[in-house]
């Protein structure tokens, strides 16, 4: 049961991970996210970037399952997700950032079309759209991620933002 405003906001984040909308998060959701991102940027799954992205998706899944899958069924329900966020992530958002770092690093690498170590704001919006964020929201979120207004989004900007998004304060 979702009681507090904090829990309600965290529960809304669940849909971001439940890529297929079946009511739980599992490994397939992370694979789907990686596949969608690779398709968006025309990157082959067997390429070095593709393999790194799938590896990052698996690491993120394993980290989340370790935190949230309380019954060990290899699926995270909405209730398990909220409970994990409330009990385990809220007090340590850096832990969540470290779990997400391999996936975020690989996603930025796929979106980094010029090889400078960062994605343009436009390409960051493409990443978000490929992961299911509606277009207008994706563009505004991507622009907000560019904290130093250089037109680029790097790992130093996206990792803490990701942690903040999924460990919203009360």
């Amino acid at each position: 049961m979702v009681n507090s405003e904090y829990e309600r906001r965290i529960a809304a984040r669940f849909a971001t991970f439940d890529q297929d909308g079946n009511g739980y998060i599992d490994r397939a959701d992370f694979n789907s996210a990686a596949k969608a991102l690779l398709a968006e940027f025309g990157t082959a799954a067997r390429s070095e970037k593709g393999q790194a992205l799938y590896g990052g998706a698996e690491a993120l899944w394993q980290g989340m399952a370790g935190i949230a899958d309380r019954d060990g069924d290899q699926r995270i329900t909405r209730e398990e997700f909220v409970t994990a966020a409330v009990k385990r992530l809220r007090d340590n958002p850096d832990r969540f950032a470290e779990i997400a770092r391999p996936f975020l690093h690989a996603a930025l690498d796929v979106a980094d079309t010029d090889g400078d170590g960062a994605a343009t704001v436009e390409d960051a919006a493409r990443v978000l759209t490929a992961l299911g964020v509606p277009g207008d929201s994706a563009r505004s979120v991507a622009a907000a991620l560019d904290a130093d207004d250089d037109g680029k989004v790097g790992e130093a900007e996206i990792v803490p933002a990701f942690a903040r998004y999924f460990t919203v304060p009360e």
Side-chain angles (χ1 to χ4, degrees):
M1 167 154 274
V2 178
N3 299 345
S4 72
E5 178 62 23
Y6 173 78
E7 290 174 4
R8 280 190 284 285
R9 291 189 337 225
I10 280 296
R13 308 299 197 251
F14 177 84
T16 304
F17 285 110
D18 184 13
Q19 293 279 305
D20 57 15
N22 64 0
Y24 57 84
I25 302 166
D26 63 8
R27 180 177 276 112
D29 291 310
F30 290 87
N31 287 333
S32 293
K35 183 177 181 180
L37 188 54
L38 292 174
E40 174 64 28
F41 286 90
T43 303
R46 293 202 179 264
S47 69
E48 189 174 318
K49 287 183 178 186
Q51 290 298 297
L53 186 62
Y54 276 110
E58 177 64 19
L60 182 52
W61 160 246
Q62 290 292 331
M64 283 191 62
I67 291 170
D69 183 18
R70 301 324 303 161
D71 61 9
D73 67 353
Q74 295 296 297
R75 300 185 326 177
I76 301 169
T77 65
R78 185 172 178 252
E79 184 178 332
E80 285 175 321
F81 183 81
V82 171
T83 299
V86 170
K87 292 185 177 175
R88 293 174 186 83
L89 296 177
R90 178 175 54 184
D91 295 331
N92 191 0
D94 292 337
R95 179 176 182 207
F96 193 55
E98 289 312 309
I99 290 168
R101 185 179 299 278
F103 178 75
L104 297 173
H105 177 82
L108 280 174
D109 198 31
V110 167
D112 177 10
T113 56
D114 64 7
D116 69 353
T120 65
V121 170
E122 295 79 21
D123 285 338
R126 288 175 62 197
V127 168
L128 294 168
T129 301
L131 297 177
V133 177
D136 289 341
S137 294
R139 285 185 288 282
S140 64
V141 168
L145 288 172
D146 181 17
D148 59 6
D149 286 331
D150 66 352
K152 297 280 191 162
V153 177
E155 191 170 328
E157 293 164 312
I158 200 161
V159 171
F162 186 84
R164 282 191 307 273
Y165 180 74
F166 288 104
T167 56
V168 293
E170 287 202 58

